[in-house]
Amino acid sequence: MSEKALHYLKENRERLLNKLSDFLAIPSVSTDSAYKGDVDQAADFIVTYLKDIGFDEVEKQETAGHPLVYAAYNGAGEDAPTVLFYGHYDVQPVDPIEQWKSDPFQAVVRDGRLYARGSSDDKGQVFMHLAVFEAYMKTEGNLPLNVKVCIEGEEEIGSENLYNILQKKKEQFQADFAVISDSGMAAKNQPTILYGLKGFTGIEITVNGPDHDLHSGMYGGAVRNPIIALSHILASMKDENEVITVDGFYDDVEPLSDAERKLMEQAPSEDFVEATGIPETVSEKGFTAKEHTMGRPTFEINGIYGGYQGEGTKTIIPSSATAKITCRLVPGQDPEKIQELLEAHVNKVAPAGVTVEVKKEKLSSKAYKVEPNHPLIKKAAASYTRAFGKETIFIRMGGSIPVVEWIEEIYDMPIVLLGFGTPEDRLHSPNESFPLDSFDKGMETLVYYWNEINK
Amino acid sequence: MSEKALHYLKENRERLLNKLSDFLAIPSVSTDSAYKGDVDQAADFIVTYLKDIGFDEVEKQETAGHPLVYAAYNGAGEDAPTVLFYGHYDVQPVDPIEQWKSDPFQAVVRDGRLYARGSSDDKGQVFMHLAVFEAYMKTEGNLPLNVKVCIEGEEEIGSENLYNILQKKKEQFQADFAVISDSGMAAKNQPTILYGLKGFTGIEITVNGPDHDLHSGMYGGAVRNPIIALSHILASMKDENEVITVDGFYDDVEPLSDAERKLMEQAPSEDFVEATGIPETVSEKGFTAKEHTMGRPTFEINGIYGGYQGEGTKTIIPSSATAKITCRLVPGQDPEKIQELLEAHVNKVAPAGVTVEVKKEKLSSKAYKVEPNHPLIKKAAASYTRAFGKETIFIRMGGSIPVVEWIEEIYDMPIVLLGFGTPEDRLHSPNESFPLDSFDKGMETLVYYWNEINK
């Protein structure tokens, strides 16, 4: 019965791509309050789409932050399984805007890729699911399984309100299993199912010195420079071997088995140097770049600022300096404990003459791992392989999807991470894009998968 | 004969303060090209004033950057000495603007202080000289000595064009001695003559990593983070004892004699902690805060930036990070050599996986010291003491005035540093101000001094 749906998707490809472009044109940047109205508009787009498809219930649920879209389709009958589909319609900021080759909110196709902020993360992949639902409804008049939809607008700012909603409305979102397409393949056209994700946490460090910027000639020699103090603190947290030098940071890390390290080495991966333009890769002493990215915790400074950043020179001792830090965690590590350890370290090494503030990132999540042999995973892998004509591989990835940990914790249901992005998509960066191959074959995969589920 | 001029200044005090306010209202920020027109307007203000006073020659000399105002008065006759008066009409940027209690370009008097950007550094002090010239001309019909005026608009950006002009036009600016009022007193109403200034140099370090910002989940573990690399570099340049750990940095430093250290300890100074709000002072191991600020070289990071600095979190590995560094030098040290040493150090410690760029600050100057017993200095001290009713003290200061070194080098003429600012003026910071006491007694000092010179 899936042929009709597949045919429909081919017939309507251009219209669907245009509709996706309309969706991508909405600058739903959740981290910047200036875009609040646009984020809201993106939610409305989904609400309208789901109603048009013919879902039984469609709700735009207001939260303390950005709205969440809930919808349910029960037409497959009581015996049919119910899937909870999760995705997010919010996107990362676009700066540095000057590095974009085309308007981030005006989707354009170049060399078989659709360029726009959110084309891969995650508006593009959310849209593919909706289009497949549309195809089944328009051709069969129903879906092969019952569906619950949960599409939020706060993933890029840590899904601040989602956890409470999932807890409070446990019955509403209850399902037999969950499917999430907010990840990528190990390589273009290489069917990939994630069986492991990293956890996430972070802190922001602010070093405060004088209560105003000082003339470096009059006060230099009497006052601790907050930027130098911050540099000493940061330099003490990770060494030149990429080893995190915060007491206890590795204590609970689940060691990588030789089997897993082998799997990771065999997993296809892009050439990091070629993809990023760096002179050479660096990774934790004793581990390869692949092992570190997939299976070892990381510590990154995402941003730093303090003092004069304008044109020319300004001879001051600045009054403060700030660094934003985030860590990716592996199975075994507890995010709250890691934050405590980071804070304790900062307070331990903070020099005299300044005061130090540590702000803890609200977003925190544990790492996630699932059993690759679960029947639902195997059906997904089979559909994936059929659509792409290539054997599906199973890998762990360095990214973090907090909702995965929360769904597991609250509902204890199997979660299938079925991602269609590629390593070249430039998520979170200028010139984000998504391959049209993934768009076509990804939808084909979903058509097969929904069809398989109810057999 | 100086009484009439003094009387004139008292009579016209309010008008002169209003005229000064008009001068301060021009936002002549030389480092920011957006203010180019205003910088030019500030030069015109001085040209007009000098013409009104009755100088024989008044020229606005265009440069590659901002104009320089030259003027000459020869009415005192060939036997009278000629003074070269140097000052600058450009000012520092005002950011962070939100910390100003009143508009930086709308002068207001609060608690006996005139608040405005440039009120102390250096527009206010330049204006005092012009007002004293006016007072003599209006009351005596001439000045007690011949005068050459050199007022530039690029001091806050390193006087980029001044050196070449002073060399090319050596005859035009030739004089018997130079007077500069671009400095401060050791304490309010404490007559102070600077007999030593620090030199100055700097570099800007940029660490380049990936050619675009990377998703920290996908690349964390394979790529060197430019901000961490920069932190390691900066932390390696000055240690927690405030000792600069760059090979050879102290090699040529002229050691402080016990006599000078005693003089520095005795020199009145503000309470650094009270004036800056820091928890405690820090200074180079083995030296007091006073000794370090007045007589030892310093290394400051004036600004740092890289990665995401906006609201919320952005989980990236940034493509680059930059730090602006400036040093204050003491007698014996060569600025160019120091830049070489800094660059060599950076290249030596730069870690693998990134590339490092070092940009050398164009502004550079050696430190300066003069003999306190020179007759011209002693006459200045006597006038100073007479006006303020307090014994003049002689100190060295941490600030740098490149032109001092250049005048010495090119003309080899004695230079009198006659500054009327106070440590509370907040130069280069929000809420810069200048005490009206200094305004009145400073002009009185100049009236006595010009009168003394020609005796």
Side-chain angles (χ1 to χ4, degrees):
Chain A
M1 69 180 265
S2 55
E3 277 58 33
K4 287 187 203 158
L6 289 178
H7 184 71
Y8 179 91
L9 291 171
K10 282 191 187 60
E11 288 292 303
N12 292 272
R13 185 171 187 266
E14 190 178 350
R15 183 181 57 78
L16 289 169
L17 275 174
N18 290 336
K19 186 165 186 171
L20 169 56
S21 300
D22 296 341
F23 188 31
L24 294 169
I26 307 167
S28 48
V29 180
S30 52
T31 197
D32 187 340
S33 43
Y35 293 95
K36 187 152 188 33
D38 304 294
V39 176
D40 202 63
Q41 198 192 328
D44 293 335
F45 178 97
I46 297 165
V47 166
T48 308
Y49 198 176
L50 288 164
K51 283 181 178 164
D52 294 346
I53 293 170
F55 272 67
D56 306 306
E57 311 161 39
V58 182
E59 289 175 14
K60 179 171 151 193
Q61 300 182 349
E62 296 303 332
T63 74
H66 301 303
L68 176 146
V69 177
Y70 162 82
Y73 171 81
N74 315 313
E78 292 194 349
D79 305 341
T82 301
V83 65
L84 172 64
F85 165 59
Y86 164 88
H88 66 90
Y89 62 84
D90 63 322
V91 297
Q92 280 276 321
V94 296
D95 57 313
I97 182 71
E98 65 275 9
Q99 288 180 24
W100 284 79
K101 293 201 184 70
S102 57
D103 185 332
F105 298 112
Q106 212 162 354
V108 289
V109 173
R110 288 198 299 271
D111 317 321
R113 287 186 157 267
L114 187 68
Y115 283 85
R117 170 60 87 225
S119 54
S120 176
D121 179 14
D122 182 37
K123 281 164 139 180
Q125 301 197 56
V126 164
F127 186 87
M128 287 160 64
H129 279 268
L130 302 183
V132 168
F133 294 143
E134 173 189 334
Y136 265 113
M137 289 296 275
K138 286 281 161 60
T139 54
E140 309 286 346
N142 60 22
L143 304 184
L145 78 175
N146 296 316
V147 177
K148 285 182 178 179
V149 168
C150 171
I151 303 174
E152 67 159 326
E154 302 189 305
E155 197 273 345
E156 301 296 0
I157 51 173
S159 306
E160 282 176 14
N161 296 291
L162 185 63
Y163 182 84
N164 292 337
I165 293 168
L166 291 179
Q167 258 192 335
K168 281 206 203 83
K169 307 190 171 177
K170 192 165 173 186
E171 227 157 274
Q172 190 175 49
F173 290 96
Q174 188 60 261
D176 299 307
F177 69 111
V179 168
I180 299 176
S181 301
D182 190 19
S183 53
M185 302 181 281
K188 192 159 174 297
N189 292 326
Q190 169 56 64
T192 308
I193 286 179
L194 288 179
Y195 73 96
L197 286 167
K198 281 184 182 172
F200 182 89
T201 192
I203 61 168
E204 184 174 290
I205 305 172
T206 297
V207 175
N208 294 303
D211 54 24
H212 61 286
D213 292 348
L214 302 176
H215 187 293
S216 68
M218 290 171 59
Y219 294 97
V223 173
R224 179 86 68 187
N225 185 305
I227 300 177
I228 294 177
L230 180 59
S231 301
H232 278 281
I233 292 170
L234 297 174
S236 74
M237 299 178 88
K238 186 159 105 173
D239 68 18
E240 294 206 353
N241 295 321
E242 294 291 305
V243 173
I244 299 154
T245 46
V246 172
D247 284 347
F249 188 89
Y250 294 102
D251 284 359
D252 306 326
V253 168
E254 200 176 277
L256 293 178
S257 67
D258 293 348
E260 268 196 308
R261 294 181 75 158
K262 194 150 173 252
L263 202 64
M264 288 173 181
E265 272 320 288
Q266 288 164 348
S269 132
E270 68 182 327
D271 180 324
F272 288 121
V273 169
E274 194 184 286
T276 64
I278 55 174
E280 61 185 286
T281 61
V282 295
S283 49
E284 182 184 351
K285 194 173 187 189
F287 297 90
T288 66
K290 278 175 163 186
E291 288 168 344
H292 193 174
T293 50
M294 296 185 203
R296 294 286 297 176
T298 63
F299 171 101
E300 300 295 348
I301 307 176
N302 311 117
I304 191 167
Y305 57 93
Y308 185 66
Q309 307 180 24
E311 208 182 320
T313 301
K314 190 160 182 235
T315 53
I316 54 166
I317 300 171
S319 59
S320 74
T322 299
K324 293 168 177 276
I325 295 167
T326 53
C327 296
R328 304 279 179 171
L329 309 177
V330 297
Q333 291 183 294
D334 174 67
E336 283 67 31
K337 180 180 172 189
I338 293 298
Q339 284 183 320
E340 300 297 339
L341 293 173
L342 294 173
E343 184 178 34
H345 177 92
V346 170
N347 292 328
K348 189 184 77 189
V349 301
V354 293
T355 57
V356 175
E357 266 172 71
V358 172
K359 213 163 78 191
K360 289 175 180 162
E361 167 73 59
K362 284 198 220 77
L363 154 60
S364 271
S365 61
K366 291 203 184 85
Y368 168 80
K369 256 176 90 178
V370 69
E371 176 46 60
N373 293 322
H374 189 289
L376 283 164
I377 300 275
K378 290 171 90 170
K379 281 185 176 183
S383 311
Y384 214 152
T385 299
R386 183 174 164 195
F388 283 76
K390 200 169 175 194
E391 205 47 52
T392 299
I393 61 168
F394 297 84
I395 63 168
R396 282 171 62 171
M397 252 197 171
S400 315
I401 309 176
V403 66
V404 172
E405 193 223 333
W406 300 339
I407 291 175
E408 190 194 28
E409 174 196 331
I410 299 169
Y411 300 90
D412 188 30
M413 61 171 88
I415 302 164
V416 183
L417 298 174
L418 205 57
F420 302 107
T422 72
E424 296 76 27
D425 292 358
R426 300 203 162 189
L427 309 182
H428 296 206
S429 301
N431 305 306
E432 176 179 355
S433 68
F434 189 68
L436 293 179
D437 274 1
S438 286
F439 183 73
D440 298 326
K441 295 179 184 158
M443 290 194 293
E444 197 178 335
T445 304
L446 295 172
V447 168
Y448 296 141
Y449 190 34
W450 299 149
N451 197 34
E452 281 301 307
I453 288 293
N454 204 5
K455 272 191 182 160
Chain B
M1 70 180 263
S2 54
E3 278 59 31
K4 286 190 205 153
L6 290 178
H7 183 71
Y8 179 91
L9 291 170
K10 283 192 188 58
E11 288 292 301
N12 292 271
R13 184 172 189 265
E14 190 178 350
R15 182 180 59 77
L16 289 169
L17 276 175
N18 291 337
K19 186 165 185 171
L20 169 55
S21 301
D22 296 340
F23 188 31
L24 294 169
I26 307 168
S28 48
V29 180
S30 51
T31 198
D32 186 342
S33 44
Y35 293 95
K36 191 159 186 25
D38 303 295
V39 176
D40 202 65
Q41 197 192 330
D44 293 335
F45 178 97
I46 297 165
V47 166
T48 308
Y49 197 175
L50 288 164
K51 284 180 177 165
D52 293 347
I53 292 170
F55 271 67
D56 306 308
E57 311 161 39
V58 182
E59 289 175 14
K60 178 171 151 192
Q61 302 182 345
E62 295 304 331
T63 75
H66 301 302
L68 175 145
V69 177
Y70 162 81
Y73 170 81
N74 316 314
E78 292 194 347
D79 306 341
T82 300
V83 65
L84 171 65
F85 165 59
Y86 164 87
H88 66 90
Y89 63 83
D90 63 321
V91 297
Q92 281 276 320
V94 296
D95 56 309
I97 182 68
E98 65 276 8
Q99 287 179 24
W100 284 79
K101 293 201 183 69
S102 57
D103 185 333
F105 299 112
Q106 210 162 353
V108 290
V109 173
R110 287 197 300 271
D111 317 322
R113 286 186 159 268
L114 186 68
Y115 284 85
R117 169 61 85 224
S119 54
S120 176
D121 178 16
D122 182 36
K123 280 164 141 182
Q125 301 197 55
V126 164
F127 185 87
M128 288 160 64
H129 280 267
L130 302 183
V132 168
F133 295 143
E134 173 189 334
Y136 266 113
M137 291 295 276
K138 285 282 160 63
T139 54
E140 310 286 346
N142 60 18
L143 304 184
L145 77 174
N146 296 316
V147 177
K148 285 183 178 178
V149 168
C150 172
I151 302 174
E152 68 161 323
E154 302 189 305
E155 197 273 344
E156 301 295 0
I157 52 174
S159 305
E160 283 177 13
N161 296 290
L162 186 63
Y163 182 84
N164 292 337
I165 293 168
L166 291 178
Q167 257 191 337
K168 282 206 202 83
K169 306 191 170 177
K170 192 165 173 185
E171 229 158 85
Q172 190 175 50
F173 289 96
Q174 188 59 261
D176 300 308
F177 69 111
V179 168
I180 298 175
S181 302
D182 189 21
S183 53
M185 303 182 280
K188 192 159 176 295
N189 293 325
Q190 169 56 63
T192 308
I193 287 178
L194 289 179
Y195 73 97
L197 286 167
K198 283 184 180 172
F200 182 89
T201 192
I203 61 169
E204 185 175 287
I205 307 172
T206 297
V207 176
N208 294 304
D211 55 24
H212 61 286
D213 292 346
L214 303 176
H215 187 294
S216 69
M218 289 171 59
Y219 295 96
V223 173
R224 179 85 67 188
N225 185 305
I227 300 177
I228 293 176
L230 181 58
S231 301
H232 278 281
I233 292 169
L234 297 174
S236 75
M237 299 179 86
K238 185 159 107 172
D239 69 17
E240 294 207 352
N241 296 321
E242 294 291 307
V243 173
I244 298 154
T245 46
V246 173
D247 284 349
F249 188 89
Y250 294 103
D251 284 0
D252 306 327
V253 169
E254 199 175 277
L256 293 178
S257 67
D258 293 348
E260 267 195 311
R261 294 181 77 157
K262 195 149 171 254
L263 201 65
M264 289 172 180
E265 273 318 291
Q266 288 164 348
S269 133
E270 68 182 325
D271 179 322
F272 288 120
V273 169
E274 193 184 287
T276 64
I278 55 174
E280 62 186 284
T281 61
V282 296
S283 50
E284 182 183 351
K285 195 174 188 190
F287 297 90
T288 66
K290 278 177 166 186
E291 289 168 345
H292 193 174
T293 49
M294 296 184 200
R296 294 286 295 176
T298 63
F299 172 100
E300 300 295 348
I301 307 176
N302 309 117
I304 191 166
Y305 58 93
Y308 185 65
Q309 305 180 25
E311 210 182 319
T313 302
K314 191 165 182 226
T315 53
I316 56 166
I317 299 171
S319 60
S320 74
T322 299
K324 292 167 176 277
I325 294 167
T326 52
C327 296
R328 303 280 179 171
L329 309 176
V330 298
Q333 292 182 294
D334 175 65
E336 282 66 31
K337 182 180 171 189
I338 293 297
Q339 284 183 320
E340 300 296 340
L341 293 173
L342 295 173
E343 184 179 33
H345 177 93
V346 170
N347 292 328
K348 190 183 77 189
V349 300
V354 293
T355 58
V356 176
E357 262 174 75
V358 172
K359 213 163 80 190
K360 287 175 181 162
E361 169 72 59
K362 283 199 220 75
L363 152 61
S364 270
S365 62
K366 290 202 185 84
Y368 168 81
K369 256 174 92 178
V370 68
E371 175 46 58
N373 294 321
H374 189 289
L376 283 163
I377 299 276
K378 288 169 93 171
K379 282 186 176 183
S383 311
Y384 214 151
T385 300
R386 183 174 165 197
F388 283 75
K390 200 167 175 195
E391 205 48 51
T392 300
I393 61 168
F394 298 84
I395 64 167
R396 282 170 61 171
M397 252 197 172
S400 315
I401 310 177
V403 67
V404 171
E405 193 223 334
W406 300 340
I407 291 174
E408 191 193 28
E409 174 196 330
I410 299 169
Y411 299 90
D412 187 33
M413 62 171 84
I415 302 163
V416 184
L417 298 173
L418 204 57
F420 302 108
T422 70
E424 295 75 28
D425 292 358
R426 298 201 162 190
L427 309 182
H428 297 205
S429 301
N431 304 306
E432 176 179 357
S433 69
F434 189 68
L436 293 179
D437 274 3
S438 286
F439 184 72
D440 298 326
K441 295 177 185 162
M443 291 195 293
E444 197 177 336
T445 304
L446 295 172
V447 169
Y448 294 141
Y449 190 34
W450 300 147
N451 197 31
E452 280 302 307
I453 289 293
N454 204 5
K455 274 195 180 151

